[in-house]
Amino acid sequence: MTRIACAQIAPTLGAVAANVELSASAIADAVAQGADVVVLPELATSGYMFADADEARSAALRPTDPAFDAWRSAAVEAVVVGGFCELGDDGLLYNSAVALDGDGVIATYRKTHLWDREKLIFTRGSELPSVLRTRHGAIAVMICYDLEFGEVTRRVAVEGAELIAAPVNWPAFPRPEGEHAGEVITAMSTARLNRIAVAVCDRAGEERGQLWTEGTAIIDPDGWVIADAGPGPGLVIADVDLSRTHDKMLTEYVDLLSDRRVDLY
Amino acid sequence: MTRIACAQIAPTLGAVAANVELSASAIADAVAQGADVVVLPELATSGYMFADADEARSAALRPTDPAFDAWRSAAVEAVVVGGFCELGDDGLLYNSAVALDGDGVIATYRKTHLWDREKLIFTRGSELPSVLRTRHGAIAVMICYDLEFGEVTRRVAVEGAELIAAPVNWPAFPRPEGEHAGEVITAMSTARLNRIAVAVCDRAGEERGQLWTEGTAIIDPDGWVIADAGPGPGLVIADVDLSRTHDKMLTEYVDLLSDRRVDLY
């Protein structure tokens, strides 16, 4: 079993040092509870509601920033996936996520599908997420709106992902009573169509009038939510048998991946 | 507004004449209630639980069969989408659906993604569903397991479908209390990711020990179930503004289709 934790924290816009401390502390809490994989929200180090690119730039970090030493140090044996506002070597801003463990950075991913006003601030990543072979499983890192593109989620399943770990900041949308958030429904569908686990870490806390779905959820390879967050900050933990994702046979003759008609698409 | 009806009937295995009468009567009921589009279950004329291909062959119809005159005659001004067991001119069996109105057959579609033991009986269709420009909107016909392939559902959305009309026979699977069936979750996700309506018509009635989800649902272009069936036979009706599906902008800068990274897929 793999113990997955999502830390639905409430970062403060622009307060990078405080956010790094908050997130490192959340990682340490999760590790103390035996977490193998820890997911943090999108833009966890910076907050989200930037007025413009200049403001984002003032909260941007390079992937080599010592801030990530705090995450690495808290991670110990765990794999951490968390979002940050990246200043690239090219001088451009990216909405990125890092995957790391106690030994160092495993990979940095730049969000390829930018949401709404992010397009005014960030540059789109030029590479789709790859499947990272970590000490705790084959993990694909996606950021928020990326999850809404089956083109990408299917691709990582085909490439052997056992778990999609997704930092998100889901702006609150209205929904009918008793329903999961639409984004959760898509994450559930993604899990069941590909028989992979999905761990989505949303954020809490109002920011410049924006409220969040606070929809953090851990979804098993059958597509069911096995742990989720209530409103407000909190740590969500669940154990998932990722080896189950290797078997794509639902019945004697149903194979979720081989049943694709790749001859027709 | 377009009035959509799904007739969750209970066909009897092999009783073609009775099933044609039952389904034509369901069409007439729906039309009497003002339906513009009427969806029937998968294999509505034949039943589903064939022991083998020989048994299926004995319940197969050619698309020119007079049985469809009964549907056409009941349809009047409505567009009907319903499943049948097809005997092709090539002598092969297909799990098919016909779209027709009072003027005649609009198109026949052969299921491209066969589920489980269907592979022992039917031949897979060689063409993906096209978008039919009918008097009541741009409709893509899919059959059951087809809906589980985002490769296809995305494609018809890009091609301008306003509505996916899907005859299904969903075998009952266990699910956590309070959750929609997994197949409904995927249909909801499909609707919201593409801003299209989805009308799924399941069947009722036990057949050779097989129970069905009885999950008939009409889903609006935001991805919410606006009408669904309880257990047992029943007619589900909802009005949907299909013109809403033309606008893919969720916010000022979010375009569900243009935001795809077709440069990377």
Side-chain angles (χ1 to χ4, degrees):
Chain A
M1 297 291 264
T2 302
R3 181 159 291 182
I4 299 170
C6 295
Q8 184 173 284
I9 56 174
T12 302
L13 187 66
V16 177
N19 293 334
V20 169
E21 192 178 326
L22 175 70
S23 47
S25 163
I27 296 168
D29 283 354
V31 167
Q33 294 186 52
D36 299 307
V37 177
V38 184
V39 190
L40 299 170
E42 181 178 8
L43 295 174
T45 58
S46 62
Y48 184 89
M49 294 296 293
F50 300 118
D52 54 32
D54 282 347
E55 190 178 31
R57 189 171 296 273
S58 72
L61 301 174
R62 294 185 187 274
T64 52
D65 194 279
F68 297 110
D69 293 342
W71 286 11
R72 215 171 63 207
S73 161
V76 196
E77 297 283 321
V79 173
V80 172
V81 175
F84 70 106
C85 177
E86 181 188 356
L87 175 62
D89 286 339
D90 52 14
L92 299 172
L93 296 173
Y94 297 94
N95 182 339
S96 297
V98 65
L100 54 76
D101 60 20
D103 292 339
V105 169
I106 300 166
T108 301
Y109 165 69
R110 293 167 169 173
K111 189 176 186 177
T112 43
H113 302 84
L114 296 176
W115 170 263
D116 203 42
R117 294 189 69 261
E118 295 170 23
K119 294 172 183 174
L120 309 181
I121 294 172
F122 299 107
T123 299
R124 304 187 300 179
S126 58
E127 285 177 47
L128 294 178
S130 54
V131 178
L132 310 174
R133 312 288 161 171
T134 78
R135 65 177 81 187
H136 293 300
I139 301 177
V141 175
M142 297 188 192
I143 304 174
C144 207
Y145 192 32
D146 289 332
L147 282 174
E148 312 263 306
F149 294 85
E151 294 87 347
V152 183
T153 52
R154 174 72 99 188
R155 180 184 165 116
V156 299
V158 171
E159 290 174 352
E162 298 169 320
L163 169 68
I164 293 176
V168 310
N169 280 184
W170 282 337
F173 274 87
R175 63 180 191 264
E177 196 170 327
E179 296 285 8
H180 294 290
E183 297 89 337
V184 172
I185 288 170
T186 291
M188 293 169 76
S189 179
T190 299
R192 67 178 290 277
L193 294 185
N194 298 291
R195 195 175 269 171
I196 54 176
V198 180
V200 179
C201 187
D202 199 1
R203 60 163 292 169
E206 189 174 336
E207 204 173 84
R208 288 185 171 159
Q210 180 65 57
L211 296 172
W212 313 95
T213 300
E214 301 177 309
T216 296
I218 299 172
I219 298 164
D220 74 13
D222 295 320
W224 304 117
V225 175
I226 52 171
D228 57 5
L235 189 63
V236 175
I237 297 182
D239 293 332
V240 181
D241 178 2
L242 293 182
S243 73
R244 286 193 57 236
T245 65
H246 302 172
D247 178 10
K248 305 298 186 188
M249 303 297 291
L250 282 194
T251 72
E252 187 179 356
Y253 298 104
V254 173
D255 183 314
L256 292 173
L257 297 185
S258 298
D259 285 343
R260 288 173 301 142
R261 291 296 303 272
V262 289
D263 55 324
L264 299 181
Y265 305 146
Chain B
M1 298 291 265
T2 302
R3 180 159 293 182
I4 300 170
C6 295
Q8 184 173 285
I9 57 175
T12 301
L13 187 67
V16 176
N19 292 334
V20 169
E21 191 179 329
L22 175 70
S23 47
S25 164
I27 295 168
D29 284 353
V31 168
Q33 294 186 50
D36 300 305
V37 178
V38 184
V39 191
L40 299 170
E42 181 178 7
L43 295 174
T45 58
S46 61
Y48 185 89
M49 294 296 291
F50 299 119
D52 53 34
D54 283 345
E55 190 178 29
R57 188 172 295 273
S58 72
L61 301 175
R62 293 186 189 272
T64 52
D65 194 278
F68 297 110
D69 295 340
W71 286 10
R72 215 171 63 207
S73 162
V76 197
E77 297 282 321
V79 173
V80 172
V81 175
F84 70 106
C85 178
E86 181 188 357
L87 176 62
D89 285 339
D90 52 13
L92 300 173
L93 296 173
Y94 298 93
N95 182 338
S96 296
V98 66
L100 54 77
D101 58 21
D103 292 340
V105 169
I106 302 167
T108 301
Y109 165 70
R110 293 169 170 173
K111 189 175 187 179
T112 43
H113 301 84
L114 295 176
W115 170 263
D116 203 40
R117 293 188 71 261
E118 294 170 26
K119 294 173 185 175
L120 307 181
I121 294 172
F122 299 107
T123 299
R124 305 185 301 178
S126 58
E127 286 177 45
L128 294 178
S130 54
V131 178
L132 309 175
R133 313 286 160 172
T134 77
R135 64 177 81 186
H136 293 300
I139 301 177
V141 175
M142 296 188 193
I143 304 174
C144 207
Y145 192 32
D146 289 332
L147 282 173
E148 313 262 304
F149 295 83
E151 293 86 348
V152 183
T153 53
R154 174 72 98 188
R155 180 184 166 118
V156 299
V158 170
E159 290 175 353
E162 299 170 320
L163 170 68
I164 293 175
V168 310
N169 280 185
W170 283 336
F173 273 87
R175 61 181 192 263
E177 195 170 327
E179 296 285 8
H180 293 290
E183 297 90 339
V184 173
I185 288 170
T186 290
M188 294 170 75
S189 180
T190 298
R192 67 178 291 276
L193 294 185
N194 298 292
R195 197 176 267 172
I196 54 175
V198 180
V200 179
C201 188
D202 199 2
R203 60 163 291 170
E206 189 174 335
E207 205 173 83
R208 288 187 172 160
Q210 180 65 56
L211 297 171
W212 313 95
T213 299
E214 300 176 310
T216 295
I218 299 173
I219 299 165
D220 75 12
D222 296 320
W224 304 117
V225 174
I226 53 172
D228 57 4
L235 189 64
V236 175
I237 296 183
D239 294 333
V240 180
D241 179 3
L242 293 182
S243 73
R244 287 194 56 235
T245 65
H246 302 171
D247 177 10
K248 305 299 187 189
M249 304 296 293
L250 282 195
T251 72
E252 189 179 356
Y253 298 104
V254 172
D255 183 315
L256 291 172
L257 296 186
S258 298
D259 286 344
R260 288 174 301 143
R261 293 296 303 274
V262 289
D263 56 324
L264 298 181
Y265 305 148

